[in-house]
Amino acid sequence: MTPIITAFERSPDRGQGLARDMPVRWALEEVGQPYNVRLVSFSEMKESMHRALHPFGQIPTYQEGDLSLFESGAIVFHIAERHAGLLPDDANARARAITWMFAALTTVEPPIVAREAAMYLERDKSWYEERLPILEDRVRGRLAELSRRLGDADWLDDAFSAGDLLMVQVLRRLKGSGILEGYQNLSAYVARGEARPAYKRAFDDQLAVFTGKPSAR
Ligand SMILES: N[C@@H](CCC(=O)N[C@@H](CS)C(=O)NCC(=O)O)C(=O)O
């Protein structure tokens, strides 16, 4: 059964691969699972037909036969559980990889998204200039801790896993901010993730939706 995912008809990031269909596409590419994409507009996402799949009226969703999922982390986890390649076989190593998936989404991403939200939604507030450096310091705090843990390793726990996939995707939100660039090992880590053939295929496919030009494969 070929899974169907949903993605933005026109992504606000203009195809930079920051929308959360990107980690799902990347995971499917890593495990070699073909998939179909249903594009949705902002208004369609809020209609009851889409809300039946996603209670919060967002993308991505994932349908596979009778199974319908939302939340990119849960979808990546599902893909990683059903296919070889994204979670180690050893039970303890697997538990550690899953821990990194949670760490990416619940410890590292929140301060990054808080900074983004302030930049998009709070720029006109009188307190914005005072608040932004506070939010940036929180991001730096997390990155410093992550950078210390990663050290000079290639991946967070031995082999590349779904934990790395989500962590790289989360850190990508900071590219060009000057913040990520302050941590040489984290920048190199993100570059390593982006160099993976599966990442490139996923990125090209989501970009093709934005440009309207088919990806070259
Ligand atoms: N925690 C959710 C977040 C989903 C999310 O924020 N989706 C965004 C695109 S990246 C969206 O649909 N935004 C439109 C909206 O909320 O109206 C996940 O990881 O899937």
Side-chain angles (χ1 to χ4, degrees), residues 1-207:
M1 181 78 58
T2 305
I4 305 169
I5 68 166
T6 50
F8 282 133
E9 187 177 73
R10 193 167 177 79
S11 181
D13 76 357
R14 306 177 62 81
Q16 287 179 71
L18 299 179
R20 285 161 177 97
D21 56 301
M22 178 63 201
V24 173
R25 289 173 183 270
W26 184 4
L28 287 163
E29 291 289 349
E30 287 285 349
V31 302
Q33 170 64 55
Y35 61 99
N36 292 319
V37 183
R38 187 164 58 79
L39 301 177
V40 289
S41 66
F42 266 85
S43 60
E44 279 164 348
M45 279 191 306
K46 307 302 170 193
E47 285 167 12
S48 54
M49 214 175 83
H50 187 75
R51 280 193 192 272
L53 300 176
H54 198 307
F56 308 113
Q58 297 182 314
I59 60 101
T61 60
Y62 176 97
Q63 287 169 280
E64 185 191 345
D66 293 348
L67 177 67
S68 172
L69 297 174
F70 60 96
E71 282 296 333
S72 57
I75 299 169
V76 169
F77 186 38
H78 169 77
I79 296 164
E81 288 241 285
R82 295 297 191 282
H83 303 265
L86 283 173
L87 287 173
D89 290 335
D90 173 77
N92 285 355
R94 195 175 180 91
R96 287 195 301 273
I98 295 167
T99 301
W100 281 115
M101 295 179 70
F102 278 87
L105 298 179
T106 67
T107 301
V108 178
E109 185 176 63
I112 294 175
V113 170
R115 169 183 170 272
E116 257 173 39
M119 290 174 69
Y120 289 121
L121 306 171
E122 297 167 0
R123 231 173 235 284
D124 57 340
K125 304 288 189 237
S126 56
W127 35 260
Y128 174 74
E129 295 297 337
E130 240 179 298
R131 179 164 153 79
L132 187 63
I134 297 172
L135 295 174
E136 297 199 328
D137 277 352
R138 284 185 194 146
V139 173
R140 283 196 188 89
R142 277 289 176 258
L143 294 201
E145 290 163 332
L146 185 65
S147 168
R148 269 197 296 278
R149 170 53 78 103
L150 180 66
D152 58 9
D154 278 356
W155 307 113
L156 288 165
D157 196 272
D158 198 12
F160 176 83
S161 78
D164 295 297
L165 185 154
L166 290 176
M167 192 66 84
V168 166
Q169 183 62 22
V170 163
L171 294 176
R172 287 189 62 246
R173 306 193 83 81
L174 289 168
K175 273 180 79 174
S177 65
I179 299 179
L180 179 67
E181 292 73 13
Y183 302 87
Q184 196 274 327
N185 65 338
L186 294 183
S187 295
Y189 172 66
V190 169
R192 256 190 307 281
E194 290 176 336
R196 294 179 71 83
Y199 171 91
K200 289 185 183 168
R201 289 194 295 273
F203 183 89
D204 289 350
D205 283 352
Q206 63 78 41
L207 179 62

